[in-house]
């Protein structure tokens, strides 16, 4: 199983200087840069598109984890690949079967990683038929649309059920918990089986980003070890 990954969500960063924020968070030790793309349809907010991702690309060597909270994401796969995305995560709640198959094929054909996300109201079993074709499943632990929300603990059984299914089928798929991740909730998510954590406000609200990232990583590692030894 992949090691613990901290994906820094830029959504809570200073939008007047996102390039500087991305470079700062790379220096602070983030593993991935989590880029929340919102279209004002799938979620109420609008954030940024492929052009902004392309502008960020030369500013950091971080892995670009692009979270597409948009309707009909299959129409935008090429532009985000072109912009420099490394992982493209689409919402199963925003797609039908054939479009999803097409999108995953396009992403892998370009040598990129493919993720599938479930919003809080969508059963985790909806991604089970797709697991063989995925590199990651993103479990939303807040309602998609904005940062700084409370972690939804009722999402923990979804993470556990997904980890159980991946273990049963010996699939090495990353489980990302996204939303409300802080020093306390990251342990809950890691114990349930998540190994990647998208965090924004918990890091941007700290005056020491490197310390905040290190503390999150340590808390996740500790919880994952405890979960393993409890087996
Ligand atoms: C919410 C986004 C999350 C969010 C995380 O729709 O998908 O990535 O930005 O931000 P925090 O860590 O503040 O909950
Ligand atoms: Zn996100």
């Amino acid at each position: 199983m992949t090691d613990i990954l901290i994906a820094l969500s830029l959504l809570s960063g200073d939008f007047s200087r996102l390039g500087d924020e991305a470079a700062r968070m790379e220096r602070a030790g983030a593993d991935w840069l989590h880029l929340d793309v919102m279209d004002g349809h799938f979620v109420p907010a609008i954030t940024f598109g492929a052009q902004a991702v392309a502008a960020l690309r030369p500013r950091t060597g971080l892995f670009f984890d692009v979270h597409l909270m948009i309707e009909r994401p299959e129409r935008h796969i090429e532009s985000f690949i072109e912009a420099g995305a490394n992982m493209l995560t689409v919402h199963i709640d925003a797609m039908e079967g054939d479009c999803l198959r097409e999108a995953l094929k396009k992403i892998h054909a370009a040598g990129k990683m493919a993720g599938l996300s479930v919003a809080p109201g969508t059963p985790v079993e909806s991604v089970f038929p797709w697991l063989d074709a995925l590199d990651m499943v993103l479990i939303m632990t807040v309602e998609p649309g904005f940062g700084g929300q409370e972690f939804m603990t009722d999402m923990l059984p979804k993470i556990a059920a997904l980890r159980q299914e991946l273990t049963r089928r010996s699939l090495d798929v990353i489980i990302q918990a996204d939303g409300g991740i802080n020093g306390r909730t990251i342990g809950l998510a890691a114990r349930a089986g998540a190994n990647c954590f998208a965090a924004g406000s918990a890091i941007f609200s700290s005056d020491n980003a490197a310390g905040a990232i290190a503390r999150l990583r340590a808390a996740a590692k500790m919880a994952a070890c405890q979960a393993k030894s409890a087996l």
Side-chain angles (χ1 to χ4, degrees), residues 130-152:
W130 300 93
L131 290 176
D132 298 289
L134 298 176
D135 302 290
M136 180 168 87
V137 175
L138 185 162
I139 303 283
M140 290 293 320
T141 42
V142 293
E143 283 303 331
F146 38 96
Q149 300 176 70
E150 273 303 298
F151 183 89
M152 296 168 70

Side-chain angles (χ1 to χ4, degrees), residues 44-61:
I46 296 177
T47 52
F48 44 72
Q51 217 175 336
V53 174
L56 285 169
R57 188 64 278 178
R59 297 295 311 273
T60 168

Side-chain angles (χ1 to χ4, degrees), residues 34 36 67 69 138 178:
H34 184 82
D36 288 306
H67 180 190
M69 285 166 275
L138 185 162
D178 182 14

Side-chain angles (χ1 to χ4, degrees), residues 3-26:
D3 261 351
I4 297 292
L5 293 165
I6 304 294
L8 184 280
S9 166
L10 264 190
L11 193 61
S12 302
D14 177 345
F15 266 53
S16 70
R17 42 192 206 87
L18 284 181
D20 298 341
E21 296 278 59
R24 177 166 77 94
M25 289 304 173
E26 178 174 15

Side-chain angles (χ1 to χ4, degrees), residues 1 4 159 163 175-177 188-197 224:
M1 193 165 92
I4 297 292
I159 295 174
R163 180 51 70 199
I175 300 181
Q176 184 179 73
L188 301 176
R191 210 162 293 130
N195 55 339
C196 181
F197 307 90

